[in-house]
Amino acid sequence: ADYWLADMRAYAVWARVIETLAAVGYDDRTLHVASFDWRLSLHELEARDAYFSRLRAHIELNTRLHGERTYLIGHSFGGNVAHYFLHWSTSAARGDDAGAWLRKHVAGFIDIGAPLLGVGKSLAALLTGQMQQTVRIEELARRVLGITLSEQLSRSDIAHGSRSLGSLAAMTPRGGHAVWGDADGAPEHFITMHEPPGDDGGDDDDAMYEQCKPPVRADDDHWRSRVLPSRAVRREARRVRNMTIEQTFATLFSLSPTYAALHRRHYSVGAAMGGGIQHDERDDGDDVRRRWANPLEAALPDGGGATFRVVCMYGVGMATERAFVLERAPPTCAVGEADLPLRVATQYHDEARGIRNGIAFVDGDSTVPLQSLGFMCAHAWRRRSHNPHGATVVTREYRHRPQRGELHRFNALRLIDSIVDSARGGTSSGDHVDIMNNNAMLLDLVLEVSTASDACRDGADDERRRQCAALVRGVDARTGKPADRFHSDVAAVSRRIAQRLGWPADDDGAALPSPPP
């Protein structure tokens, strides 16, 4: 949570957030950093580390000592962890009074850039061992250093390493083709790939594969299975075509049954088609637990009506990987690569479609695409089906405005700080990580979790209201806390997703006002 190279304040994720909260009175008695092992699945965090039990106990202690409810703040995958905790903490397994626990102890849930509906890059890493970062680094290494990076870190290393991470499975796309598109189109302004020329997988690779013997090593465990896929599976996987999310999952699961078992054991990736959803699922059965990690299939629990606040904060206006152009990989008997028959077509470019190095880009925060960042807060959690208890839901978008650092004459440390700010995008960045350094986001966070909001609400003296208006855009005058602020077309994208899901237009009356078109 602290700065890397703290004396130079060179790099941090949470450091400025902590400093900002400390400036309004938070200290080590009222601010708790709940780190977790990101390698584990959400269920395994509790099974191995009692992570959620410890977090629940700490929140209860905070209520006893200070008499106030706690805000849960999660950045990136931490937002997914916090969302899962809301459901875990209110399940019947926590005790007879679990249903009232959230109302008593938690004031709200703030997600900063959380991939609530997953990211496509996770599937790309699992299926091919490639994603935007590896493709760019490979290209840079080849052009600048003249080396082949894959000789040092192979696709097999990345793919099989990714398949061992229960957390990455939690970030695979939710909602299927309704959310992510198919041959008929996609919810956002995204040019759907046309079906490529027919390719049935061919027989030319089979002769070589027949010579491959499934490598067996004594140190192999169930995470890194090396069982050679069958001929039929290899042929189907090699067939180049326009795959939906469902078809991509099917291909991945056929190539790696071990990973398929891991994924299916812990996660559900569907959606409540037609708007139907089960409310107040308070048992701890496997089917229910899997849905806790999927907000499309698990309604918000009862946090006390409108007093419980759910706030989504995220950046927009940055090119974000959304889809991948794949090609058949050369056949190989290399350990671990026989189940990687596809790879990203890194030499494919189509600027008209926003495709570079075989990767198609859309709006987002450079890591998470818009629908995953914003659909739940901008639409789904404004419907009674997914927000049956009427929690207050707010969306705060931050348009990416990169800044160049200014050269300071005062001292070397300020010069270094300026250079670092420039490299990271400055204090107005909407980048997935750098948003934690965004001044507007930090100010919104302070207003959300402190009494500083008193200066912005009705009844405050005129001078304080003027100061607030000069600093903050979009405040709810009744509470002084941040209100909706949109810069993207997330509202239109969300409506199209809801239509594709078959959700009714009125949902028996919206729980909250919809964002503007």
Side-chain angles (χ1 to χ4, degrees):
D2 203 352
Y3 288 98
W4 177 69
L5 298 177
D7 290 341
M8 293 189 294
R9 300 166 61 88
Y11 183 84
V13 176
W14 283 99
R16 280 207 69 203
V17 173
I18 294 171
E19 288 177 345
T20 302
L21 294 177
V24 294
Y26 282 88
D27 57 25
D28 57 359
R29 297 169 300 173
T30 53
L31 184 64
H32 174 63
V33 178
S35 303
F36 57 90
D37 188 337
W38 52 266
R39 298 171 299 177
L40 302 180
S41 72
L42 297 171
H43 174 66
E44 289 167 335
L45 282 177
E46 175 63 19
R48 194 196 74 174
D49 297 346
Y51 174 80
F52 296 117
S53 293
R54 294 171 185 269
L55 179 57
R56 193 172 193 262
H58 197 94
I59 291 172
E60 290 172 352
L61 178 63
N62 183 67
T63 304
R64 272 201 312 272
L65 293 179
H66 305 288
E68 294 183 357
R69 297 193 295 168
T70 297
Y71 271 96
L72 299 173
I73 306 173
H75 170 248
S76 191
F77 181 54
N80 298 58
V81 174
H83 172 263
Y84 185 91
F85 173 74
L86 296 179
H87 294 280
W88 178 91
S89 64
T90 54
S91 71
R94 310 288 84 78
D96 293 338
D97 63 342
W101 188 87
L102 207 62
R103 297 192 296 272
K104 180 178 180 181
H105 295 287
V106 180
F109 159 49
I110 301 172
D111 104 57
I112 306 173
L116 292 172
L117 300 186
V119 288
K121 66 194 303 182
S122 61
L123 266 185
L126 292 163
L127 182 62
T128 70
Q130 294 172 292
M131 52 186 172
Q132 178 186 355
Q133 288 84 347
T134 62
V135 168
R136 286 186 173 180
I137 291 174
E138 177 73 30
E139 183 75 4
L140 183 65
R142 183 179 63 82
R143 290 187 177 184
V144 178
L145 303 178
I147 64 173
T148 303
L149 192 64
S150 58
E151 295 176 356
Q152 313 299 322
L153 184 65
S154 69
R155 292 199 302 126
S156 174
D157 292 330
I158 296 172
H160 292 98
S162 298
R163 293 174 189 178
S164 74
L165 301 177
S167 58
L168 192 63
M171 290 184 280
T172 51
R174 270 67 175 143
H177 67 277
V179 174
W180 299 93
D182 52 25
D184 295 327
E188 71 270 55
H189 297 298
F190 175 74
I191 301 176
T192 303
M193 306 300 172
H194 295 295
E195 191 75 20
D199 184 349
D200 65 357
D203 292 321
D204 53 333
D205 298 342
D206 287 340
M208 178 174 181
Y209 276 121
E210 291 302 326
Q211 301 174 21
C212 298
K213 294 182 178 180
V216 178
R217 295 190 339 214
D219 61 345
D220 271 353
D221 57 24
H222 70 284
W223 294 110
R224 294 174 64 87
S225 171
R226 296 295 194 269
V227 177
L228 187 68
S230 69
R231 179 175 179 175
V233 167
R234 295 196 309 270
R235 177 189 290 269
E236 177 63 19
R238 292 200 307 268
R239 187 168 64 87
V240 178
R241 62 202 184 281
N242 190 351
M243 293 192 293
T244 63
I245 290 296
E246 292 92 338
Q247 291 168 329
T248 307
F249 271 122
T251 300
L252 172 63
F253 290 170
S254 69
L255 291 168
S256 180
T258 300
Y259 175 75
L262 164 72
H263 194 285
R264 289 168 173 152
R265 184 166 63 249
H266 294 303
Y267 301 112
S268 170
V269 295
M273 301 301 291
I277 192 169
Q278 298 183 45
H279 298 158
D280 299 322
E281 295 174 322
R282 296 189 51 217
D283 65 86
D284 247 351
D286 288 345
D287 288 343
V288 172
R289 192 178 66 239
R290 282 194 290 264
R291 289 195 290 271
W292 291 346
N294 183 359
L296 291 173
E297 294 187 316
L300 284 174
D302 184 4
T307 64
F308 184 78
R309 293 178 61 86
V310 177
V311 183
C312 295
M313 301 176 169
Y314 56 86
V316 295
M318 301 193 71
T320 305
E321 58 194 298
R322 164 68 167 79
F324 297 81
V325 179
L326 303 183
E327 63 185 6
R328 292 169 62 180
T332 177
C333 289
V335 172
E337 293 197 13
D339 60 350
L340 300 177
L342 297 173
R343 66 183 182 184
V344 176
T346 57
Q347 302 306 309
Y348 183 83
H349 303 275
D350 188 340
E351 290 296 333
R353 295 185 178 184
I355 302 172
R356 300 187 295 276
N357 297 112
I359 303 173
F361 294 85
V362 295
D363 191 13
D365 68 359
S366 80
T367 297
V368 184
L370 183 62
Q371 66 264 59
S372 186
L373 291 166
F375 176 68
M376 294 311 300
C377 264
H379 190 95
W381 284 334
R382 296 169 190 261
R383 303 173 67 93
R384 295 198 186 280
S385 59
H386 287 70
N387 182 6
H389 306 287
T392 298
V393 179
V394 176
T395 300
R396 296 289 280 185
E397 293 186 340
Y398 304 89
R399 184 184 291 119
H400 178 61
R401 293 190 177 95
Q403 295 177 334
R404 296 185 179 276
E406 298 177 359
L407 298 182
H408 295 286
R409 295 176 296 172
F410 303 106
N411 57 52
L413 290 182
R414 290 195 65 184
L415 172 60
I416 293 172
D417 193 36
S418 173
I419 294 172
V420 170
D421 269 351
S422 178
R424 291 192 61 186
T427 55
S428 298
S429 175
D431 175 79
H432 182 68
V433 175
D434 295 345
I435 195 170
M436 302 295 277
N437 199 43
N438 185 300
N439 284 340
M441 188 281 294
L442 293 170
L443 181 57
D444 287 346
L445 191 61
V446 165
L447 291 178
E448 186 63 45
V449 303
S450 77
T451 57
S453 59
D454 291 343
C456 301
R457 70 172 62 184
D458 287 338
D461 63 71
D462 292 342
E463 179 59 27
R464 296 179 74 192
R465 290 288 301 280
R466 279 194 295 271
Q467 292 175 353
C468 177
L471 290 172
V472 188
R473 297 292 182 268
V475 172
D476 185 339
R478 297 168 302 168
T479 64
K481 296 182 182 294
D484 286 330
R485 184 178 62 191
F486 296 94
H487 297 295
S488 74
D489 62 347
V490 67
V493 170
S494 295
R495 284 194 295 272
R496 288 194 287 269
I497 291 175
Q499 290 170 359
R500 293 168 65 92
L501 287 168
W503 290 359
D506 57 2
D507 189 34
D508 192 26
L512 293 165
S514 296

